[in-house]
Amino acid sequence: MEPCTYVIFGATGNLSKIKLMPALYHLEVAGLLPEGTKIIASGRRAWTLEKLHQEARAMIRAKARNGLDEAVFARFQARLSYFQGDLSVADMYPALAALFASHSEYPGNVAFYMAIRPADFGTVVENLSTHQLLDETHGWRRVIIEKPFGYDLESAHALQQRLMRYLREEQIFRIDHYLGKGTVRNVQVFRFANVMLEPLWNRNYIDHVQITHSENLGVGSRADYYDGAGAMRDMIQSHLLQLLTLVAMEPPASMEAEALRNEKVKVLQSIRSIPSDAVHAQTYRAQYTSGRIQGEKTKAYLDEDNVPPCSVTETYAAMKLYIDNWRWAGVPFYLRTGKRMAENQSVVSICFKAPPKQFFRTSQLQKMRPNWVLLGIQPCAYLKLEMTVKEPGMEMHTRQTTLDANLREGDVPATDAYEDLLLDVIKGDQSLFLRYDEVEAAWRVVDPVLRVWAMERDYIPTYPAGSWGPEESRRLFEREDQNWRDSMNPATKN
């Protein structure tokens, strides 16, 4: 890998503090940052280099997996410099260009990380281009953009049109940190490196698929952003639809970025659109009220700081989707996400169909439970296969048993998704970054729902904090015997 200059706009903010600086430090620990790589932290605050070092030390000390290693931090600190500037002031950009021109120690390859408000993406890129900071004469230029990419389909298209005036598609790295999680990558390996389940991975054997991301946290300090976004935009349009593509995609021709992303786009484009008169039949939204989580009383969403008292923003969203292609025709995919729920959990649950013939009609086995494959994303990385077995003894009693593979061996610590993604930017590997047609196709899935919800401003259903969400969302399921899969532990007995 060639060295590069990482320029972090918004380096004094929360994203840099919680994710970016610790991730870059851990790359330093692993010896993965190319020799000569530099990091320019840019922000409006009047920090000196010494102040940046102090702040970086505090950021990393709070997040370092094995504590702060002084020798490693000394190497990392030597890469850091600080550039004070206000992105809204035009004079900042020629000053940044002059910094590059006058300091030969900064590598010509430059990655600009936009840890800033989405509303500023277009303006900042335009200014970078105006002052030749996107000129690739002496090395590559790449721009990393955090989600959300647009507020809806129309705004996403407008942003794309603006960016394409100054950048090529291969220069844009639309980051979705969810795709960097190790277990999400394991979904690809599970699908395409094992032939055991591939013959069953279709409409003939799979009854339905559930994808759940639940959090027991509230909106916290993100209310200003969250109230304008809601659960559908914040999680389903990006993270959960990406998981769906990995579960449902056809084997790509290779694991090269474009081949992989082509297959993901095909899945998104095959999702049956939801007409406005079917929105209530295929989606459900709700908002958390007060409750108890881990024994502590929690506030309702409307009582959170900076939340408008009449807000009808959803903190829970669920939807039923169909993929109209040969493999998945007729198989429902159920997606749900929510805040202030019972547990922190991200899991893909695949439910298989019942056997075509019931051999034990006169025995205790009249209600056979289905087989499941469970792919745990967080907080635990695992693969579980649930099967029915006979209990020891004379009578025909059964129980569920689990073939359980913990995907993190021994004491190997989990890496943060940003570590892989920041390194992939240096490599130029876009496999886990979103291409614009992926973004556009995902917006086309949720846009009809958001338009209907936007007209319903008088009322929103609620659910108590600490629960698994509103019971009424069960109506999305096609049969009475189907329900949300909450527990990852199998029932013990039939």
Side-chain angles (χ1 to χ4, degrees):
M1 287 185 294
E2 297 178 345
C4 82
T5 304
Y6 245 115
V7 181
I8 302 175
F9 293 134
T12 60
N14 277 340
L15 180 62
S16 179
K17 176 181 179 180
I18 296 172
K19 293 294 185 181
L20 303 184
M21 284 295 182
L24 288 166
Y25 167 80
H26 283 120
L27 291 177
E28 183 77 67
V29 172
L32 294 175
L33 287 179
E35 187 67 29
T37 292
K38 298 291 184 182
I39 302 165
I40 299 176
S42 178
R44 290 180 295 180
R45 299 180 188 180
W47 283 6
T48 62
L49 181 59
E50 182 181 3
K51 174 66 172 175
L52 172 64
H53 290 167
Q54 292 172 354
E55 292 291 333
R57 178 183 290 273
M59 296 174 189
I60 293 164
R61 190 187 299 277
K63 294 291 182 178
R65 288 190 287 270
N66 297 310
L68 186 77
D69 185 311
E70 290 293 346
V72 174
F73 183 75
R75 296 199 307 270
F76 180 72
Q77 180 177 273
R79 300 183 188 272
L80 296 176
S81 60
Y82 186 71
F83 179 81
Q84 183 184 359
D86 187 333
L87 292 168
S88 64
V89 177
D91 289 347
M92 171 190 160
Y93 300 92
L96 182 59
L99 177 69
F100 281 111
S102 61
H103 290 75
S104 59
E105 69 268 23
Y106 292 119
N109 299 321
V110 183
F112 296 100
Y113 199 111
M114 304 287 181
I116 57 177
R117 296 187 314 144
D120 294 331
F121 292 160
T123 301
V124 172
V125 168
E126 180 178 351
N127 281 312
L128 290 173
S129 177
T130 299
H131 295 90
Q132 290 76 52
L133 285 161
L134 297 178
D135 186 346
E136 294 192 310
T137 303
H138 301 293
W140 50 253
R141 296 291 189 273
R142 292 166 186 162
V143 175
I144 306 104
I145 295 178
E146 279 277 345
K147 80 172 184 74
F149 193 88
Y151 182 78
D152 52 20
L153 179 60
E154 183 179 358
S155 60
H157 182 69
L159 176 57
Q160 175 69 4
Q161 290 293 101
R162 189 172 187 185
L163 294 181
M164 293 307 288
R165 295 177 197 166
Y166 315 107
L167 296 164
R168 304 185 311 279
E169 176 64 29
E170 57 266 28
Q171 292 178 278
I172 304 172
F173 286 68
R174 299 174 191 84
I175 197 166
D176 185 342
H177 67 273
Y178 215 72
L179 293 183
K181 294 181 182 296
T183 315
V184 174
R185 294 193 176 198
N186 277 330
V187 173
Q188 299 172 345
V189 176
F190 173 72
R191 284 287 319 278
F192 305 128
N194 300 292
V195 300
M196 179 177 64
L197 287 176
E198 177 59 27
L200 311 180
W201 210 256
N202 56 59
R203 59 188 169 84
N204 295 321
Y205 298 98
I206 291 180
D207 182 74
H208 71 275
V209 177
Q210 297 183 27
I211 302 176
T212 293
H213 176 86
S214 60
E215 302 176 26
N216 59 21
L217 298 175
V219 293
S221 61
R222 298 177 69 225
D224 287 337
Y225 158 75
Y226 195 89
D227 196 67
M232 180 67 78
R233 288 184 178 91
D234 189 49
M235 285 299 305
I236 290 182
Q237 186 274 336
S238 53
H239 303 329
L240 299 196
L241 282 177
Q242 284 295 313
L243 270 180
L244 181 148
T245 63
L246 295 173
V247 171
M249 65 189 282
E250 295 297 322
S254 70
M255 291 310 289
E256 296 296 322
E258 291 312 299
L260 180 65
R261 297 197 292 184
N262 287 342
E263 296 303 331
K264 290 165 62 184
V265 169
K266 289 178 186 177
V267 173
L268 291 170
Q269 292 176 339
S270 298
I271 293 176
R272 186 187 306 170
S273 60
I274 301 176
S276 58
D277 59 359
V279 165
H280 291 146
Q282 287 189 234
T283 69
Y284 196 87
R285 65 172 181 159
Q287 188 183 91
Y288 66 79
T289 59
S290 60
R292 303 191 76 85
I293 294 179
Q294 296 177 348
E296 295 187 7
K297 185 172 177 57
T298 61
K299 294 189 291 187
Y301 177 73
L302 295 180
D303 296 326
E304 300 278 11
D305 295 341
N306 300 319
V307 172
C310 298
S311 173
V312 290
T313 295
E314 78 282 359
T315 61
Y316 175 97
M319 66 192 312
K320 174 171 60 177
L321 298 173
Y322 294 94
I323 301 173
D324 288 334
N325 62 18
W326 187 271
R327 183 184 290 264
W328 297 110
V331 177
F333 284 71
Y334 300 99
L335 281 59
R336 66 167 171 166
T337 183
K339 289 190 172 294
R340 288 295 189 207
M341 294 179 70
E343 295 179 15
N344 286 323
Q345 181 174 276
S346 292
V347 64
V348 178
S349 306
I350 296 103
C351 181
F352 286 84
K353 291 182 177 180
K357 180 176 176 61
Q358 177 58 266
F359 291 101
F360 305 98
R361 295 185 185 278
T362 60
S363 73
Q364 299 283 343
L365 298 179
Q366 290 181 354
K367 294 183 179 179
M368 295 283 287
R369 289 190 173 90
N371 300 133
W372 291 80
V373 168
L374 308 176
L375 299 169
I377 309 298
Q378 65 181 33
C380 299
Y382 58 78
L383 167 63
K384 294 185 178 183
L385 175 61
E386 288 188 3
M387 304 182 71
T388 302
V389 298
K390 180 185 176 300
E391 286 189 339
M394 300 292 291
E395 297 185 359
M396 186 64 79
H397 291 297
T398 65
R399 60 181 173 86
Q400 296 291 100
T401 190
T402 302
L403 304 178
D404 193 343
N406 189 323
L407 300 180
R408 190 174 303 137
E409 296 183 0
D411 297 326
V412 177
T415 59
D416 186 84
Y418 278 91
E419 296 170 39
D420 289 333
L421 295 171
L422 291 173
L423 191 61
D424 283 348
V425 172
I426 301 177
K427 295 176 180 177
D429 183 354
Q430 293 189 309
S431 300
L432 298 179
F433 294 84
L434 306 184
R435 204 168 62 191
Y436 176 67
D437 52 356
E438 288 184 73
V439 175
E440 182 180 45
W443 276 121
R444 290 189 185 281
V445 172
V446 304
D447 235 33
V449 178
L450 294 171
R451 284 198 297 269
V452 171
W453 287 358
M455 295 185 291
E456 300 171 346
R457 309 301 298 172
D458 297 327
Y459 170 76
I460 185 171
T462 59
Y463 62 98
S467 69
W468 277 107
E471 284 291 325
E472 295 85 354
S473 67
R474 286 189 58 192
R475 65 175 172 75
L476 298 183
F477 287 94
E478 296 189 333
R479 301 196 311 269
E480 283 295 321
D481 63 335
Q482 294 177 337
N483 203 348
W484 292 114
R485 177 72 193 242
D486 296 332
S487 172
M488 294 304 99
N489 298 316
T492 58
K493 192 172 184 178
N494 274 335

